[in-house]
Amino acid sequence: ASACKASTQEHASVILGATAPSSWRSAPTRLRYHGYTITQLAFSHDGTRLLAVSRDRSWSLWRSNSNAEVNTEEPFVLAAGTNKATAVHQRVIWSCSWSPDDRIFATASRDKKVLLWSRDASLLQLEQRQALPPYADCGQGWGVMSSPLEVADAATAVQFVPVANVGGKPSLERYSLAVGLENGSVLLASWCTSAQWTVTHCVDESLCPVQTVQRLSWRPLPASDEEQRRSGSRFQLAVASADHSVRVLTFASDLFN
């Protein structure tokens, strides 16, 4: 999937291409929802959902139509999305990421906020849900799942750690992620259903880029014993910046606590 710079809905589309030799040269599928440039795309880990975020301050979620549940030849159909009535972010959404279990996705925005979205109501108790920003169903039960993580500058990149409950107990539903900022800063934060957001570590300024963090990517972990992955001693994060640098940072698991 790809997208291009755009100022109209006609051009602000998700372009899907197939890698099979028989279909590579066929006309690509275009998924239209946004009005301005799509800033990032992210497939869920199982490949059945595609998330797009845009300069128009909205996100769209597309689901696979492989079982032909909807009477259309399109490989993906719209499942959910925000608009002027349901949007929470007030500025450009720069980045998005899926949690390792695909139950949650995160969005990061120029409004200096990171938000979590889900349709799994079991993640929160009723009183926690009531404490959130005004909830609106964005389609198929998807809605904002967390109070905002407020950071010091525009949040330009976000990426979930590739395993849940890093350094914690298997019984605790906690998700950790890295956030990159416009000023080059990088931080680690964790969210759980009981304590909500906690910033667990801020990377030393001497190790950070001098310009905007444009993309973050964790090194994949081997598909070995789950407990070993959760308590692994090192996690490596690649940081790409507008200063033309790529840095690889290594974190011990205790920095996520």
Side-chain angles (χ1 to χ4, degrees), residues 196-234:
Q196 298 295 298
W197 286 110
T198 303
V199 175
T200 60
H201 181 69
C202 294
V203 176
D204 188 272
E205 184 178 351
S206 64
L207 300 176
C208 293
V210 296
Q211 293 185 28
T212 302
V213 176
Q214 295 182 316
R215 196 69 79 231
L216 298 168
S217 181
W218 290 98
R219 182 177 182 175
L221 297 174
S224 56
D225 178 73
E226 182 69 15
E227 178 62 29
Q228 182 178 352
R229 294 175 70 208
R230 188 182 300 110
S231 59
S233 58
R234 297 196 311 168

PDB file of all heavy atoms in Angstrom, residues 196-234:
ATOM      1  N   GLN A 196      -3.190   4.032  33.535  1.00  0.00           N
ATOM      2  CA  GLN A 196      -3.202   4.897  32.362  1.00  0.00           C
ATOM      3  C   GLN A 196      -1.763   5.178  31.898  1.00  0.00           C
ATOM      4  O   GLN A 196      -0.924   4.305  31.941  1.00  0.00           O
ATOM      5  CB  GLN A 196      -4.006   6.178  32.656  1.00  0.00           C
ATOM      6  CG  GLN A 196      -5.477   5.892  32.974  1.00  0.00           C
ATOM      7  CD  GLN A 196      -6.232   5.304  31.808  1.00  0.00           C
ATOM      8  OE1 GLN A 196      -6.376   5.916  30.759  1.00  0.00           O
ATOM      9  NE2 GLN A 196      -6.739   4.090  31.976  1.00  0.00           N
ATOM     10  N   TRP A 197      -1.451   6.409  31.492  1.00  0.00           N
ATOM     11  CA  TRP A 197      -0.154   6.695  30.882  1.00  0.00           C
ATOM     12  C   TRP A 197       0.943   6.912  31.919  1.00  0.00           C
ATOM     13  O   TRP A 197       0.731   7.571  32.929  1.00  0.00           O
ATOM     14  CB  TRP A 197      -0.236   7.950  30.014  1.00  0.00           C
ATOM     15  CG  TRP A 197      -0.944   7.769  28.716  1.00  0.00           C
ATOM     16  CD1 TRP A 197      -2.171   8.281  28.373  1.00  0.00           C
ATOM     17  CD2 TRP A 197      -0.482   7.041  27.576  1.00  0.00           C
ATOM     18  NE1 TRP A 197      -2.487   7.921  27.091  1.00  0.00           N
ATOM     19  CE2 TRP A 197      -1.467   7.173  26.574  1.00  0.00           C
ATOM     20  CE3 TRP A 197       0.681   6.314  27.297  1.00  0.00           C
ATOM     21  CZ2 TRP A 197      -1.337   6.571  25.320  1.00  0.00           C
ATOM     22  CZ3 TRP A 197       0.812   5.718  26.057  1.00  0.00           C
ATOM     23  CH2 TRP A 197      -0.182   5.856  25.087  1.00  0.00           C
ATOM     24  N   THR A 198       2.123   6.379  31.596  1.00  0.00           N
ATOM     25  CA  THR A 198       3.327   6.648  32.377  1.00  0.00           C
ATOM     26  C   THR A 198       4.495   6.815  31.417  1.00  0.00           C
ATOM     27  O   THR A 198       4.741   5.937  30.583  1.00  0.00           O
ATOM     28  CB  THR A 198       3.657   5.494  33.349  1.00  0.00           C
ATOM     29  OG1 THR A 198       2.541   5.263  34.204  1.00  0.00           O
ATOM     30  CG2 THR A 198       4.869   5.828  34.194  1.00  0.00           C
ATOM     31  N   VAL A 199       5.179   7.959  31.484  1.00  0.00           N
ATOM     32  CA  VAL A 199       6.418   8.130  30.715  1.00  0.00           C
ATOM     33  C   VAL A 199       7.527   7.467  31.514  1.00  0.00           C
ATOM     34  O   VAL A 199       7.852   7.894  32.620  1.00  0.00           O
ATOM     35  CB  VAL A 199       6.729   9.621  30.469  1.00  0.00           C
ATOM     36  CG1 VAL A 199       8.073   9.777  29.776  1.00  0.00           C
ATOM     37  CG2 VAL A 199       5.622  10.262  29.639  1.00  0.00           C
ATOM     38  N   THR A 200       8.086   6.399  30.983  1.00  0.00           N
ATOM     39  CA  THR A 200       9.050   5.594  31.736  1.00  0.00           C
ATOM     40  C   THR A 200      10.500   5.965  31.459  1.00  0.00           C
ATOM     41  O   THR A 200      11.376   5.681  32.274  1.00  0.00           O
ATOM     42  CB  THR A 200       8.858   4.101  31.421  1.00  0.00           C
ATOM     43  OG1 THR A 200       9.057   3.880  30.009  1.00  0.00           O
ATOM     44  CG2 THR A 200       7.446   3.652  31.810  1.00  0.00           C
ATOM     45  N   HIS A 201      10.773   6.625  30.318  1.00  0.00           N
ATOM     46  CA  HIS A 201      12.163   6.969  30.010  1.00  0.00           C
ATOM     47  C   HIS A 201      12.205   8.031  28.918  1.00  0.00           C
ATOM     48  O   HIS A 201      11.443   7.977  27.955  1.00  0.00           O
ATOM     49  CB  HIS A 201      12.928   5.724  29.532  1.00  0.00           C
ATOM     50  CG  HIS A 201      14.373   5.985  29.207  1.00  0.00           C
ATOM     51  ND1 HIS A 201      15.308   6.283  30.178  1.00  0.00           N
ATOM     52  CD2 HIS A 201      15.042   6.003  28.019  1.00  0.00           C
ATOM     53  CE1 HIS A 201      16.498   6.451  29.601  1.00  0.00           C
ATOM     54  NE2 HIS A 201      16.352   6.292  28.308  1.00  0.00           N
ATOM     55  N   CYS A 202      13.086   9.012  29.075  1.00  0.00           N
ATOM     56  CA  CYS A 202      13.371  10.013  28.047  1.00  0.00           C
ATOM     57  C   CYS A 202      14.822   9.821  27.608  1.00  0.00           C
ATOM     58  O   CYS A 202      15.735   9.841  28.445  1.00  0.00           O
ATOM     59  CB  CYS A 202      13.159  11.427  28.573  1.00  0.00           C
ATOM     60  SG  CYS A 202      11.441  11.817  28.988  1.00  0.00           S
ATOM     61  N   VAL A 203      15.031   9.620  26.326  1.00  0.00           N
ATOM     62  CA  VAL A 203      16.371   9.389  25.808  1.00  0.00           C
ATOM     63  C   VAL A 203      17.215  10.648  25.984  1.00  0.00           C
ATOM     64  O   VAL A 203      16.737  11.764  25.744  1.00  0.00           O
ATOM     65  CB  VAL A 203      16.318   8.974  24.327  1.00  0.00           C
ATOM     66  CG1 VAL A 203      17.723   8.812  23.746  1.00  0.00           C
ATOM     67  CG2 VAL A 203      15.528   7.675  24.179  1.00  0.00           C
ATOM     68  N   ASP A 204      18.456  10.459  26.410  1.00  0.00           N
ATOM     69  CA  ASP A 204      19.365  11.584  26.616  1.00  0.00           C
ATOM     70  C   ASP A 204      19.493  12.400  25.327  1.00  0.00           C
ATOM     71  O   ASP A 204      19.593  11.855  24.228  1.00  0.00           O
ATOM     72  CB  ASP A 204      20.742  11.081  27.050  1.00  0.00           C
ATOM     73  CG  ASP A 204      21.659  12.208  27.466  1.00  0.00           C
ATOM     74  OD1 ASP A 204      22.345  12.767  26.575  1.00  0.00           O
ATOM     75  OD2 ASP A 204      21.714  12.532  28.666  1.00  0.00           O
ATOM     76  N   GLU A 205      19.493  13.711  25.477  1.00  0.00           N
ATOM     77  CA  GLU A 205      19.538  14.609  24.326  1.00  0.00           C
ATOM     78  C   GLU A 205      20.742  14.353  23.430  1.00  0.00           C
ATOM     79  O   GLU A 205      20.670  14.516  22.208  1.00  0.00           O
ATOM     80  CB  GLU A 205      19.551  16.061  24.826  1.00  0.00           C
ATOM     81  CG  GLU A 205      19.499  17.105  23.719  1.00  0.00           C
ATOM     82  CD  GLU A 205      19.475  18.517  24.251  1.00  0.00           C
ATOM     83  OE1 GLU A 205      19.332  18.688  25.480  1.00  0.00           O
ATOM     84  OE2 GLU A 205      19.586  19.464  23.435  1.00  0.00           O
ATOM     85  N   SER A 206      21.863  13.932  24.007  1.00  0.00           N
ATOM     86  CA  SER A 206      23.072  13.698  23.222  1.00  0.00           C
ATOM     87  C   SER A 206      22.932  12.506  22.275  1.00  0.00           C
ATOM     88  O   SER A 206      23.699  12.369  21.319  1.00  0.00           O
ATOM     89  CB  SER A 206      24.262  13.459  24.156  1.00  0.00           C
ATOM     90  OG  SER A 206      24.080  12.286  24.932  1.00  0.00           O
ATOM     91  N   LEU A 207      21.948  11.642  22.527  1.00  0.00           N
ATOM     92  CA  LEU A 207      21.722  10.466  21.695  1.00  0.00           C
ATOM     93  C   LEU A 207      20.606  10.668  20.680  1.00  0.00           C
ATOM     94  O   LEU A 207      20.399   9.814  19.818  1.00  0.00           O
ATOM     95  CB  LEU A 207      21.384   9.260  22.578  1.00  0.00           C
ATOM     96  CG  LEU A 207      22.434   8.846  23.606  1.00  0.00           C
ATOM     97  CD1 LEU A 207      21.909   7.697  24.465  1.00  0.00           C
ATOM     98  CD2 LEU A 207      23.746   8.463  22.939  1.00  0.00           C
ATOM     99  N   CYS A 208      19.916  11.797  20.783  1.00  0.00           N
ATOM    100  CA  CYS A 208      18.757  12.057  19.922  1.00  0.00           C
ATOM    101  C   CYS A 208      19.163  12.833  18.667  1.00  0.00           C
ATOM    102  O   CYS A 208      20.177  13.532  18.647  1.00  0.00           O
ATOM    103  CB  CYS A 208      17.706  12.853  20.693  1.00  0.00           C
ATOM    104  SG  CYS A 208      16.936  11.954  22.048  1.00  0.00           S
ATOM    105  N   PRO A 209      18.355  12.751  17.618  1.00  0.00           N
ATOM    106  CA  PRO A 209      18.592  13.574  16.427  1.00  0.00           C
ATOM    107  C   PRO A 209      18.458  15.064  16.757  1.00  0.00           C
ATOM    108  O   PRO A 209      17.868  15.435  17.775  1.00  0.00           O
ATOM    109  CB  PRO A 209      17.488  13.127  15.456  1.00  0.00           C
ATOM    110  CG  PRO A 209      17.008  11.823  15.972  1.00  0.00           C
ATOM    111  CD  PRO A 209      17.201  11.863  17.456  1.00  0.00           C
ATOM    112  N   VAL A 210      18.983  15.892  15.878  1.00  0.00           N
ATOM    113  CA  VAL A 210      18.896  17.336  16.100  1.00  0.00           C
ATOM    114  C   VAL A 210      17.707  17.950  15.372  1.00  0.00           C
ATOM    115  O   VAL A 210      17.410  19.123  15.559  1.00  0.00           O
ATOM    116  CB  VAL A 210      20.201  18.037  15.646  1.00  0.00           C
ATOM    117  CG1 VAL A 210      21.376  17.566  16.486  1.00  0.00           C
ATOM    118  CG2 VAL A 210      20.472  17.805  14.170  1.00  0.00           C
ATOM    119  N   GLN A 211      17.023  17.138  14.557  1.00  0.00           N
ATOM    120  CA  GLN A 211      15.826  17.617  13.874  1.00  0.00           C
ATOM    121  C   GLN A 211      14.692  16.605  14.065  1.00  0.00           C
ATOM    122  O   GLN A 211      14.844  15.608  14.776  1.00  0.00           O
ATOM    123  CB  GLN A 211      16.108  17.856  12.387  1.00  0.00           C
ATOM    124  CG  GLN A 211      17.074  19.015  12.126  1.00  0.00           C
ATOM    125  CD  GLN A 211      17.235  19.306  10.654  1.00  0.00           C
ATOM    126  OE1 GLN A 211      16.333  19.056   9.845  1.00  0.00           O
ATOM    127  NE2 GLN A 211      18.391  19.852  10.282  1.00  0.00           N
ATOM    128  N   THR A 212      13.578  16.837  13.396  1.00  0.00           N
ATOM    129  CA  THR A 212      12.357  16.062  13.578  1.00  0.00           C
ATOM    130  C   THR A 212      12.571  14.564  13.423  1.00  0.00           C
ATOM    131  O   THR A 212      13.219  14.113  12.476  1.00  0.00           O
ATOM    132  CB  THR A 212      11.301  16.522  12.553  1.00  0.00           C
ATOM    133  OG1 THR A 212      11.066  17.920  12.719  1.00  0.00           O
ATOM    134  CG2 THR A 212       9.995  15.761  12.725  1.00  0.00           C
ATOM    135  N   VAL A 213      12.005  13.797  14.366  1.00  0.00           N
ATOM    136  CA  VAL A 213      11.959  12.345  14.216  1.00  0.00           C
ATOM    137  C   VAL A 213      10.836  12.015  13.234  1.00  0.00           C
ATOM    138  O   VAL A 213       9.671  12.343  13.472  1.00  0.00           O
ATOM    139  CB  VAL A 213      11.699  11.645  15.566  1.00  0.00           C
ATOM    140  CG1 VAL A 213      11.566  10.139  15.369  1.00  0.00           C
ATOM    141  CG2 VAL A 213      12.820  11.959  16.553  1.00  0.00           C
ATOM    142  N   GLN A 214      11.198  11.374  12.135  1.00  0.00           N
ATOM    143  CA  GLN A 214      10.207  11.111  11.099  1.00  0.00           C
ATOM    144  C   GLN A 214       9.630   9.699  11.131  1.00  0.00           C
ATOM    145  O   GLN A 214       8.506   9.468  10.693  1.00  0.00           O
ATOM    146  CB  GLN A 214      10.818  11.376   9.714  1.00  0.00           C
ATOM    147  CG  GLN A 214      11.178  12.830   9.491  1.00  0.00           C
ATOM    148  CD  GLN A 214      11.740  13.090   8.117  1.00  0.00           C
ATOM    149  OE1 GLN A 214      12.579  12.337   7.618  1.00  0.00           O
ATOM    150  NE2 GLN A 214      11.292  14.167   7.494  1.00  0.00           N
ATOM    151  N   ARG A 215      10.408   8.741  11.637  1.00  0.00           N
ATOM    152  CA  ARG A 215       9.898   7.383  11.712  1.00  0.00           C
ATOM    153  C   ARG A 215      10.644   6.606  12.776  1.00  0.00           C
ATOM    154  O   ARG A 215      11.834   6.826  13.013  1.00  0.00           O
ATOM    155  CB  ARG A 215      10.032   6.664  10.367  1.00  0.00           C
ATOM    156  CG  ARG A 215       9.197   5.423  10.236  1.00  0.00           C
ATOM    157  CD  ARG A 215       7.709   5.715  10.180  1.00  0.00           C
ATOM    158  NE  ARG A 215       7.268   6.157   8.872  1.00  0.00           N
ATOM    159  CZ  ARG A 215       6.548   7.250   8.692  1.00  0.00           C
ATOM    160  NH1 ARG A 215       6.210   8.019   9.715  1.00  0.00           N
ATOM    161  NH2 ARG A 215       6.156   7.583   7.484  1.00  0.00           N
ATOM    162  N   LEU A 216       9.932   5.688  13.428  1.00  0.00           N
ATOM    163  CA  LEU A 216      10.496   4.799  14.436  1.00  0.00           C
ATOM    164  C   LEU A 216      10.187   3.360  14.044  1.00  0.00           C
ATOM    165  O   LEU A 216       9.098   3.076  13.526  1.00  0.00           O
ATOM    166  CB  LEU A 216       9.900   5.079  15.815  1.00  0.00           C
ATOM    167  CG  LEU A 216      10.124   6.468  16.412  1.00  0.00           C
ATOM    168  CD1 LEU A 216       9.230   6.664  17.639  1.00  0.00           C
ATOM    169  CD2 LEU A 216      11.591   6.657  16.799  1.00  0.00           C
ATOM    170  N   SER A 217      11.125   2.450  14.335  1.00  0.00           N
ATOM    171  CA  SER A 217      10.866   1.041  14.036  1.00  0.00           C
ATOM    172  C   SER A 217      11.654   0.168  14.997  1.00  0.00           C
ATOM    173  O   SER A 217      12.883   0.282  15.080  1.00  0.00           O
ATOM    174  CB  SER A 217      11.253   0.707  12.587  1.00  0.00           C
ATOM    175  OG  SER A 217      10.970  -0.652  12.295  1.00  0.00           O
ATOM    176  N   TRP A 218      10.940  -0.704  15.743  1.00  0.00           N
ATOM    177  CA  TRP A 218      11.599  -1.635  16.650  1.00  0.00           C
ATOM    178  C   TRP A 218      12.120  -2.838  15.878  1.00  0.00           C
ATOM    179  O   TRP A 218      11.493  -3.304  14.924  1.00  0.00           O
ATOM    180  CB  TRP A 218      10.622  -2.124  17.716  1.00  0.00           C
ATOM    181  CG  TRP A 218      10.236  -1.084  18.708  1.00  0.00           C
ATOM    182  CD1 TRP A 218       9.107  -0.312  18.701  1.00  0.00           C
ATOM    183  CD2 TRP A 218      10.978  -0.677  19.863  1.00  0.00           C
ATOM    184  NE1 TRP A 218       9.102   0.546  19.766  1.00  0.00           N
ATOM    185  CE2 TRP A 218      10.242   0.344  20.511  1.00  0.00           C
ATOM    186  CE3 TRP A 218      12.194  -1.068  20.417  1.00  0.00           C
ATOM    187  CZ2 TRP A 218      10.672   0.971  21.672  1.00  0.00           C
ATOM    188  CZ3 TRP A 218      12.638  -0.453  21.577  1.00  0.00           C
ATOM    189  CH2 TRP A 218      11.879   0.554  22.193  1.00  0.00           C
ATOM    190  N   ARG A 219      13.256  -3.342  16.307  1.00  0.00           N
ATOM    191  CA  ARG A 219      13.789  -4.560  15.710  1.00  0.00           C
ATOM    192  C   ARG A 219      12.867  -5.724  16.055  1.00  0.00           C
ATOM    193  O   ARG A 219      12.499  -5.906  17.222  1.00  0.00           O
ATOM    194  CB  ARG A 219      15.191  -4.843  16.249  1.00  0.00           C
ATOM    195  CG  ARG A 219      15.843  -6.078  15.639  1.00  0.00           C
ATOM    196  CD  ARG A 219      17.244  -6.242  16.167  1.00  0.00           C
ATOM    197  NE  ARG A 219      17.898  -7.386  15.547  1.00  0.00           N
ATOM    198  CZ  ARG A 219      19.173  -7.706  15.754  1.00  0.00           C
ATOM    199  NH1 ARG A 219      19.926  -6.972  16.564  1.00  0.00           N
ATOM    200  NH2 ARG A 219      19.686  -8.760  15.156  1.00  0.00           N
ATOM    201  N   PRO A 220      12.458  -6.542  15.056  1.00  0.00           N
ATOM    202  CA  PRO A 220      11.576  -7.681  15.357  1.00  0.00           C
ATOM    203  C   PRO A 220      12.231  -8.641  16.341  1.00  0.00           C
ATOM    204  O   PRO A 220      13.449  -8.849  16.320  1.00  0.00           O
ATOM    205  CB  PRO A 220      11.375  -8.347  13.987  1.00  0.00           C
ATOM    206  CG  PRO A 220      11.679  -7.264  12.995  1.00  0.00           C
ATOM    207  CD  PRO A 220      12.748  -6.420  13.622  1.00  0.00           C
ATOM    208  N   LEU A 221      11.419  -9.229  17.201  1.00  0.00           N
ATOM    209  CA  LEU A 221      11.904 -10.189  18.172  1.00  0.00           C
ATOM    210  C   LEU A 221      11.656 -11.605  17.669  1.00  0.00           C
ATOM    211  O   LEU A 221      10.666 -11.865  16.975  1.00  0.00           O
ATOM    212  CB  LEU A 221      11.199  -9.998  19.513  1.00  0.00           C
ATOM    213  CG  LEU A 221      11.426  -8.649  20.193  1.00  0.00           C
ATOM    214  CD1 LEU A 221      10.550  -8.540  21.427  1.00  0.00           C
ATOM    215  CD2 LEU A 221      12.886  -8.476  20.568  1.00  0.00           C
ATOM    216  N   PRO A 222      12.523 -12.548  17.994  1.00  0.00           N
ATOM    217  CA  PRO A 222      12.309 -13.937  17.554  1.00  0.00           C
ATOM    218  C   PRO A 222      11.041 -14.504  18.156  1.00  0.00           C
ATOM    219  O   PRO A 222      10.681 -14.209  19.297  1.00  0.00           O
ATOM    220  CB  PRO A 222      13.558 -14.664  18.073  1.00  0.00           C
ATOM    221  CG  PRO A 222      14.049 -13.827  19.210  1.00  0.00           C
ATOM    222  CD  PRO A 222      13.740 -12.414  18.822  1.00  0.00           C
ATOM    223  N   ALA A 223      10.359 -15.329  17.389  1.00  0.00           N
ATOM    224  CA  ALA A 223       9.113 -15.935  17.852  1.00  0.00           C
ATOM    225  C   ALA A 223       9.427 -17.120  18.759  1.00  0.00           C
ATOM    226  O   ALA A 223       9.155 -18.276  18.447  1.00  0.00           O
ATOM    227  CB  ALA A 223       8.264 -16.374  16.661  1.00  0.00           C
ATOM    228  N   SER A 224       9.998 -16.827  19.905  1.00  0.00           N
ATOM    229  CA  SER A 224      10.358 -17.863  20.863  1.00  0.00           C
ATOM    230  C   SER A 224       9.409 -17.812  22.048  1.00  0.00           C
ATOM    231  O   SER A 224       8.301 -17.277  21.950  1.00  0.00           O
ATOM    232  CB  SER A 224      11.802 -17.681  21.323  1.00  0.00           C
ATOM    233  OG  SER A 224      11.986 -16.385  21.868  1.00  0.00           O
ATOM    234  N   ASP A 225       9.824 -18.340  23.180  1.00  0.00           N
ATOM    235  CA  ASP A 225       8.993 -18.362  24.364  1.00  0.00           C
ATOM    236  C   ASP A 225       8.509 -16.953  24.718  1.00  0.00           C
ATOM    237  O   ASP A 225       9.291 -16.007  24.795  1.00  0.00           O
ATOM    238  CB  ASP A 225       9.793 -18.945  25.531  1.00  0.00           C
ATOM    239  CG  ASP A 225       8.990 -18.960  26.822  1.00  0.00           C
ATOM    240  OD1 ASP A 225       8.092 -19.792  26.926  1.00  0.00           O
ATOM    241  OD2 ASP A 225       9.290 -18.127  27.696  1.00  0.00           O
ATOM    242  N   GLU A 226       7.189 -16.802  24.942  1.00  0.00           N
ATOM    243  CA  GLU A 226       6.592 -15.484  25.169  1.00  0.00           C
ATOM    244  C   GLU A 226       7.183 -14.794  26.399  1.00  0.00           C
ATOM    245  O   GLU A 226       7.468 -13.598  26.376  1.00  0.00           O
ATOM    246  CB  GLU A 226       5.078 -15.632  25.342  1.00  0.00           C
ATOM    247  CG  GLU A 226       4.337 -14.319  25.532  1.00  0.00           C
ATOM    248  CD  GLU A 226       4.322 -13.451  24.292  1.00  0.00           C
ATOM    249  OE1 GLU A 226       4.642 -13.970  23.205  1.00  0.00           O
ATOM    250  OE2 GLU A 226       3.996 -12.265  24.404  1.00  0.00           O
ATOM    251  N   GLU A 227       7.372 -15.553  27.477  1.00  0.00           N
ATOM    252  CA  GLU A 227       7.902 -14.950  28.691  1.00  0.00           C
ATOM    253  C   GLU A 227       9.330 -14.449  28.471  1.00  0.00           C
ATOM    254  O   GLU A 227       9.720 -13.385  28.946  1.00  0.00           O
ATOM    255  CB  GLU A 227       7.864 -15.959  29.838  1.00  0.00           C
ATOM    256  CG  GLU A 227       8.439 -15.434  31.151  1.00  0.00           C
ATOM    257  CD  GLU A 227       7.671 -14.241  31.681  1.00  0.00           C
ATOM    258  OE1 GLU A 227       6.459 -14.138  31.404  1.00  0.00           O
ATOM    259  OE2 GLU A 227       8.276 -13.395  32.366  1.00  0.00           O
ATOM    260  N   GLN A 228      10.114 -15.206  27.700  1.00  0.00           N
ATOM    261  CA  GLN A 228      11.487 -14.792  27.416  1.00  0.00           C
ATOM    262  C   GLN A 228      11.499 -13.517  26.589  1.00  0.00           C
ATOM    263  O   GLN A 228      12.316 -12.623  26.798  1.00  0.00           O
ATOM    264  CB  GLN A 228      12.230 -15.908  26.679  1.00  0.00           C
ATOM    265  CG  GLN A 228      13.690 -15.580  26.370  1.00  0.00           C
ATOM    266  CD  GLN A 228      14.398 -16.725  25.673  1.00  0.00           C
ATOM    267  OE1 GLN A 228      13.853 -17.817  25.542  1.00  0.00           O
ATOM    268  NE2 GLN A 228      15.615 -16.478  25.223  1.00  0.00           N
ATOM    269  N   ARG A 229      10.562 -13.406  25.650  1.00  0.00           N
ATOM    270  CA  ARG A 229      10.480 -12.204  24.828  1.00  0.00           C
ATOM    271  C   ARG A 229      10.095 -11.003  25.686  1.00  0.00           C
ATOM    272  O   ARG A 229      10.613  -9.909  25.516  1.00  0.00           O
ATOM    273  CB  ARG A 229       9.441 -12.387  23.720  1.00  0.00           C
ATOM    274  CG  ARG A 229       9.796 -13.438  22.684  1.00  0.00           C
ATOM    275  CD  ARG A 229       8.650 -13.618  21.713  1.00  0.00           C
ATOM    276  NE  ARG A 229       8.491 -12.456  20.859  1.00  0.00           N
ATOM    277  CZ  ARG A 229       7.349 -12.080  20.322  1.00  0.00           C
ATOM    278  NH1 ARG A 229       6.242 -12.733  20.588  1.00  0.00           N
ATOM    279  NH2 ARG A 229       7.292 -11.022  19.552  1.00  0.00           N
ATOM    280  N   ARG A 230       9.144 -11.212  26.632  1.00  0.00           N
ATOM    281  CA  ARG A 230       8.644 -10.123  27.454  1.00  0.00           C
ATOM    282  C   ARG A 230       9.717  -9.581  28.387  1.00  0.00           C
ATOM    283  O   ARG A 230       9.792  -8.394  28.657  1.00  0.00           O
ATOM    284  CB  ARG A 230       7.441 -10.614  28.269  1.00  0.00           C
ATOM    285  CG  ARG A 230       6.719  -9.519  29.022  1.00  0.00           C
ATOM    286  CD  ARG A 230       5.574 -10.084  29.825  1.00  0.00           C
ATOM    287  NE  ARG A 230       4.600 -10.746  28.978  1.00  0.00           N
ATOM    288  CZ  ARG A 230       4.404 -12.067  28.949  1.00  0.00           C
ATOM    289  NH1 ARG A 230       5.104 -12.854  29.727  1.00  0.00           N
ATOM    290  NH2 ARG A 230       3.498 -12.591  28.157  1.00  0.00           N
ATOM    291  N   SER A 231      10.551 -10.481  28.911  1.00  0.00           N
ATOM    292  CA  SER A 231      11.578 -10.076  29.865  1.00  0.00           C
ATOM    293  C   SER A 231      12.955  -9.978  29.233  1.00  0.00           C
ATOM    294  O   SER A 231      13.963  -9.984  29.929  1.00  0.00           O
ATOM    295  CB  SER A 231      11.609 -11.071  31.038  1.00  0.00           C
ATOM    296  OG  SER A 231      11.886 -12.375  30.560  1.00  0.00           O
ATOM    297  N   GLY A 232      12.989  -9.919  27.899  1.00  0.00           N
ATOM    298  CA  GLY A 232      14.266  -9.845  27.193  1.00  0.00           C
ATOM    299  C   GLY A 232      15.103  -8.671  27.660  1.00  0.00           C
ATOM    300  O   GLY A 232      14.589  -7.621  28.031  1.00  0.00           O
ATOM    301  N   SER A 233      16.400  -8.839  27.644  1.00  0.00           N
ATOM    302  CA  SER A 233      17.275  -7.836  28.238  1.00  0.00           C
ATOM    303  C   SER A 233      17.464  -6.614  27.353  1.00  0.00           C
ATOM    304  O   SER A 233      17.789  -5.549  27.852  1.00  0.00           O
ATOM    305  CB  SER A 233      18.644  -8.466  28.547  1.00  0.00           C
ATOM    306  OG  SER A 233      19.225  -8.987  27.354  1.00  0.00           O
ATOM    307  N   ARG A 234      17.246  -6.755  26.024  1.00  0.00           N
ATOM    308  CA  ARG A 234      17.500  -5.620  25.144  1.00  0.00           C
ATOM    309  C   ARG A 234      16.430  -5.512  24.062  1.00  0.00           C
ATOM    310  O   ARG A 234      15.980  -6.500  23.505  1.00  0.00           O
ATOM    311  CB  ARG A 234      18.867  -5.772  24.470  1.00  0.00           C
ATOM    312  CG  ARG A 234      20.042  -5.771  25.429  1.00  0.00           C
ATOM    313  CD  ARG A 234      21.345  -5.534  24.690  1.00  0.00           C
ATOM    314  NE  ARG A 234      21.489  -6.404  23.522  1.00  0.00           N
ATOM    315  CZ  ARG A 234      22.420  -6.234  22.586  1.00  0.00           C
ATOM    316  NH1 ARG A 234      23.263  -5.225  22.669  1.00  0.00           N
ATOM    317  NH2 ARG A 234      22.507  -7.075  21.571  1.00  0.00           N
TER     318      ARG A 234
END
